[in-house]
Amino acid sequence: MTNTTHQGIREAIRARIVAGEWQLGELIPGEVEFAEEFGCSRTTVNRALQALAEEGIVERKRKGGTRVRPLPSPQAQFRIPVIREQVESRGREYGHRIVLRELRDPPGEMRTRLQIGSGRKAAYMESLHLAGKHPFAFERRWVNLATVPGFAEADLSELSANEWLIRTVPFSRGEVGLTATSADARLAAMLEVEPGEALFTMERTTWFEDRAVTAITLYYARGYRLEFGI
Amino acid sequence: MTNTTHQGIREAIRARIVAGEWQLGELIPGEVEFAEEFGCSRTTVNRALQALAEEGIVERKRKGGTRVRPLPSPQAQFRIPVIREQVESRGREYGHRIVLRELRDPPGEMRTRLQIGSGRKAAYMESLHLAGKHPFAFERRWVNLATVPGFAEADLSELSANEWLIRTVPFSRGEVGLTATSADARLAAMLEVEPGEALFTMERTTWFEDRAVTAITLYYARGYRLEFGI
């Protein structure tokens, strides 16, 4: 027999929520039904439901009844990190070094992603971002020369490819994919880790209006962590 | 000698921006200085700067002069994925299985993170999230029993720990860290991958008001990618 004080009813309803009687976000019975079931007044049920709402266990709407609190799906929001700033915020000096730069036939998947016509070459670059003397991230970059014709001859002795592109082509939108990569021999050599080491990896493709600009893959050195609040 | 039409001046200023003469976000000379330098009218300079602003190469403010467009720092925004939905959106049936559940002394770092008093135990769980018959993610979870005393005896035969906690403790805020982990023998066995495989890893700690609730580490199976737009 349920204790029919408002506290007793609050705990009885709580127990049924916690036991999974209703789905997250599902409507639970109204004051009338609970009052009948528990043999108490609507006012008492109302007080019990109000207490659960104040705790955040249920949500009540004026005419929408009372629902179990739905699954929170917290929105994460964070700034895509700028490597120079990440390095400098660790109190290290940022540096970067181009390892390879050439015109290349992109592999099929990259050709599709960057909308590069068949038979056309793209600019391909590999570069190393440094924190002091240590590798911080290794970057592979493809650039669509139809969107950014000047990139093939761009002077990248002072500016990074990223900075050069920002000065040349406005950014419209991008797609980001985060994943983990097992270091092959080349990544291991570049990042000074053992082959097979797990590397946090960020892929990013950017567009100017409808035209693909660049696709990069950044392999971060051992121990990197991307952090943000929700 | 610069071509002193507005197009000529526009291209001369663009070339200097692309060559890195000014930092991203830096003020460039005003109309008066450029007019003097190029030997043309302020109106012509104004027209050139306006064209560069429309392209998105510079930013002009009424009284703030003209700046090289600053480094874009795109805000990423995405929903922290709900595993059940991730699995179901791939057209697979979601399942989950508790592998281990006990009270344990948390290691020092976890004790600090979850604010667990010295000498006190915490609830520890390992569970496997399944897509059909295949492992989708392996979860390690600590729960602070001072914040959620009922968790030690919670019936988790129907509800996942996550769902049970949502029904019991309102969510206030969380911290997320993304990283890559090399599978040790246990992770490899659980996720049916080779030892050493690179696993995308999400750590998450959540609080209710100032009280730590739970800290989880999710190791995703091979090939997982977290995607979002910027």
Side-chain angles (χ1 to χ4, degrees), chain B residues 14 35 112 136 205:
Chain B
R14 184 206 304 282
T112 306
F136 185 78
T205 306

Side-chain angles (χ1 to χ4, degrees), chain B:
Chain B
M1 185 68 198
T2 306
N3 165 350
T4 57
T5 62
H6 65 88
Q7 295 97 330
I9 287 167
R10 183 185 70 200
E11 293 315 316
I13 296 173
R14 184 206 304 282
R16 286 161 68 177
I17 288 172
V18 170
E21 179 164 336
W22 304 286
Q23 297 291 311
L24 295 176
E26 188 180 340
L27 267 182
I28 68 175
E31 287 174 17
V32 176
E33 290 105 310
F34 273 137
E36 196 164 302
E37 180 182 340
F38 291 125
C40 66
S41 70
R42 286 181 57 175
T43 313
T44 304
V45 174
N46 180 50
R47 206 165 153 189
L49 292 176
Q50 204 46 45
L52 289 171
E54 280 158 18
E55 283 183 56
I57 301 299
V58 299
E59 292 183 353
R60 306 187 83 189
K61 290 205 178 136
R62 232 176 112 62
K63 293 197 177 162
T66 302
R67 292 177 184 277
V68 179
R69 192 165 54 108
L71 193 64
S73 54
Q75 288 287 335
Q77 203 175 11
F78 66 98
R79 259 176 96 228
I80 292 293
V82 174
I83 296 183
R84 175 190 293 276
E85 292 174 9
Q86 286 185 304
V87 169
E88 290 175 351
S89 75
R90 286 162 167 78
R92 313 292 288 280
E93 194 185 351
Y94 172 77
H96 102 283
R97 180 159 73 76
I98 295 174
V99 177
L100 176 76
R101 185 180 177 191
E102 62 182 23
L103 299 186
R104 257 197 201 186
D105 288 315
E109 184 265 340
M110 188 54 68
R111 201 176 275 288
T112 306
R113 181 193 297 224
L114 279 187
Q115 311 159 336
I116 295 170
S118 80
R120 295 198 160 228
K121 290 189 187 293
Y124 177 72
M125 277 184 68
E126 293 182 350
S127 43
L128 199 56
H129 300 271
L130 300 161
K133 292 180 176 168
H134 299 285
F136 185 78
F138 179 67
E139 175 185 306
R140 295 197 162 113
R141 177 186 294 273
W142 293 89
V143 177
N144 182 337
L145 294 172
T147 307
V148 204
F151 188 80
E153 274 79 44
D155 175 3
L156 301 180
S157 54
E158 296 293 328
L159 301 177
S160 70
N162 191 39
E163 279 207 45
W164 188 93
L165 286 168
I166 288 163
R167 287 165 189 263
T168 308
V169 202
F171 170 88
S172 301
R173 68 183 178 89
E175 280 175 9
V176 175
L178 303 176
T179 179
T181 305
S182 184
D184 60 17
R186 179 156 177 81
L187 288 173
M190 285 292 158
L191 291 169
E192 298 173 11
V193 298
E194 295 297 313
E197 180 84 38
L199 306 175
F200 184 76
T201 306
M202 179 182 293
E203 297 171 7
R204 188 161 80 211
T205 306
T206 56
W207 284 264
F208 165 55
E209 293 168 358
D210 284 342
R211 301 161 67 192
V213 173
T214 189
I216 72 170
T217 306
L218 274 168
Y219 304 90
Y220 285 88
R222 184 192 169 95
Y224 177 81
R225 232 173 104 91
L226 177 62
E227 295 177 344
F228 52 91
I230 51 176

